[in-house]
Amino acid sequence: MAKFKKTLAAFAMPVVAMIAAAVTCFFVPFDKQYLDYFDFRTLACLFCTLAVVCAFKNIRFFRWLADVIVRRFKTVRGAVIALVFVTYFGSMIMANDMALITFLPLGFLVLESCAQRKYLAFVFVMQNVAANLGGMLTPFGNPQNLYSFYSYSAGEFFRVMAVPFAVAFILILASCLFVKPLKIEAVSTQVPPPPLFKTVAYSVLFAVSVLIVFRVFPYWWGLAAVVAALLLLDPASLVKVDYKLLVTFAAFFVFAGNMARIEAVREFLSSLVAASPLLVGVASCQVLSNVPASMLLSRFTADKNALLIAVNIGGLGTPVASLASLITLGEYRSANGGGTRRYLGLFSAINFSFLAILTAVSLLILPLL
């Protein structure tokens, strides 16, 4: 039964996305415009990044890197800070959900081995917050980033997200400082380093994925290069790609495209978003989740800066505001054997506090961008 529930939760988002897309198809019959819904560059970038991250995971690169970082700290506070910030910066490269899948188990291992499981709920909540907020600095860090849709330049994208990213860093660090600096011993069995050749090769492939995002060359060239290289080096990584996320994106492209063509919906959402793209964006994430909210609302506003910030900080709040939050909740249930009341209470307190502060800061800086 537990395995069935976990499988059901894993497929919930793509199933909901496909149902939502299918419902809108009753109102907008199939035609040639459906092809215009899909942002193939975004899908190609997402696929390449996910595939390369899977290859890195297969050689235990991220586990080794996290282990090296964590071993440098000799107190509970230091270990917690290391776990949270390796997730924070890891999400900039791996995307938030992949960072959590990689580093949440390490968080559990560290706390278990040094008899500090009482911090499990706090560490998981903070890793979740770190993954959602760390990924907002890079176009490929959070799946909902609108880099491709709005054609941001690299400098413009970083300029818009720099202040929210910096404020998030301060909030996360300040929260971790509440953990007591108790002495601990070595926290885990040392992870052997990954093979050098594959580490270098996958780093090059990841650079290619990044160059696709920044439009250095046509995306299909990079897609072909990544697929060909991984077929030679690690075919299994192509099998392990999170195709559910790709299906979810494709379905939400259809959903958002059709919603934009329904006149009553278009007029309502256009007037609603016009009032405050930031506040409406944040509120929409709490119900729709940030990925579908970004795809839908981007069709109804030209205020790209407000919406970009909204769908990134909007991943905080309710557990459904971000797929990453649902992943963390599932991992906590598994690690803790159930008993989520304390976790959800702490999750809500931290998430909504951070969200309120980041929303207020964003409202102040938007006129300056």
Side-chain angles (χ1 to χ4, degrees), residues 39 41-42 45 139 145-152 213 215:
D39 187 337
R41 177 183 294 277
T42 293
C45 293
N145 282 346
L146 304 177
Y147 182 89
S148 182
F149 185 90
Y150 280 125
S151 300
Y152 275 101
V213 178
R215 296 174 173 80

Side-chain angles (χ1 to χ4, degrees), residues 146 150 152 273 276-278 300-308 366:
L146 304 177
Y150 280 125
Y152 275 101
V273 177
S276 177
L278 178 71
F300 300 98
T301 180
D303 192 347
K304 59 182 183 180
N305 293 339
L307 189 56
L308 177 62
L366 273 173

Side-chain angles (χ1 to χ4, degrees), residues 124-181:
F124 270 38
V125 169
M126 292 308 302
Q127 284 185 289
N128 179 80
V129 169
N132 278 323
L133 296 179
M136 67 181 166
L137 190 64
T138 59
F140 39 83
N142 284 339
Q144 71 275 11
N145 282 346
L146 304 177
Y147 182 89
S148 182
F149 185 90
Y150 280 125
S151 300
Y152 275 101
S153 67
E156 186 180 14
F157 185 94
F158 294 136
R159 179 176 61 83
V160 172
M161 299 310 302
V163 173
F165 179 84
V167 173
F169 181 95
I170 294 170
L171 290 173
I172 293 170
L173 180 60
S175 299
C176 291
L177 292 177
F178 282 98
V179 177
K180 295 179 180 179

Side-chain angles (χ1 to χ4, degrees), residues 20-280:
V23 170
T24 63
C25 291
F26 285 104
F27 298 93
V28 182
F30 289 103
D31 56 23
K32 292 182 179 179
Q33 290 189 49
Y34 269 67
L35 290 176
D36 296 330
Y37 295 165
F38 299 98
D39 187 337
F40 293 105
R41 177 183 294 277
T42 293
L43 292 174
C45 293
L46 186 58
F47 174 83
C48 290
T49 302
L50 292 173
V52 174
V53 166
C54 285
F56 270 123
K57 289 185 69 177
N58 286 346
I59 61 172
R60 296 170 60 84
F61 173 80
F62 295 113
R63 189 69 182 268
W64 166 79
L65 179 61
D67 184 71
V68 169
I69 294 171
V70 170
R71 282 179 173 276
R72 293 181 179 274
F73 298 87
K74 303 299 182 183
T75 65
V76 176
R77 177 189 290 171
V80 168
I81 290 174
L83 287 167
V84 171
F85 278 98
V86 75
T87 309
Y88 187 68
F89 291 109
S91 67
M92 296 168 57
I93 302 171
M94 305 167 65
N96 53 7
D97 55 341
M98 297 298 290
L100 288 169
I101 291 170
T102 301
F103 297 127
L104 284 174
L106 182 64
F108 172 76
L109 175 65
V110 169
L111 296 175
E112 177 75 11
S113 62
C114 64
Q116 296 294 331
R117 281 193 61 172
K118 63 182 180 181
Y119 289 108
L120 184 64
F122 176 78
V123 170
F124 270 38
V125 169
M126 292 308 302
Q127 284 185 289
N128 179 80
V129 169
N132 278 323
L133 296 179
M136 67 181 166
L137 190 64
T138 59
F140 39 83
N142 284 339
Q144 71 275 11
N145 282 346
L146 304 177
Y147 182 89
S148 182
F149 185 90
Y150 280 125
S151 300
Y152 275 101
S153 67
E156 186 180 14
F157 185 94
F158 294 136
R159 179 176 61 83
V160 172
M161 299 310 302
V163 173
F165 179 84
V167 173
F169 181 95
I170 294 170
L171 290 173
I172 293 170
L173 180 60
S175 299
C176 291
L177 292 177
F178 282 98
V179 177
K180 295 179 180 179
L182 302 174
K183 295 283 187 179
I184 56 174
E185 301 296 329
V187 292
S188 64
T189 303
Q190 190 165 359
V191 178
L196 179 60
F197 174 76
K198 286 191 173 182
T199 300
V200 173
Y202 297 158
S203 298
V204 171
L205 292 180
F206 186 81
V208 170
S209 302
V210 172
L211 294 176
I212 295 174
V213 178
F214 293 118
R215 296 174 173 80
V216 174
F217 45 73
Y219 70 85
W220 58 86
W221 291 6
L223 178 62
V226 170
V227 171
L230 290 179
L231 280 173
L232 290 173
L233 295 171
D234 186 6
S237 63
L238 297 174
V239 177
K240 294 180 179 179
V241 167
D242 187 0
Y243 291 102
K244 300 189 299 297
L245 184 59
L246 294 170
V247 170
T248 300
F249 260 69
F252 278 131
F253 278 135
V254 174
F255 171 75
N258 282 341
M259 290 289 280
R261 292 174 64 185
I262 301 173
E263 185 175 355
V265 174
R266 183 172 63 250
E267 291 178 356
F268 172 73
L269 287 178
S270 296
S271 60
L272 185 65
V273 177
S276 177
L278 178 71
L279 295 180
V280 172

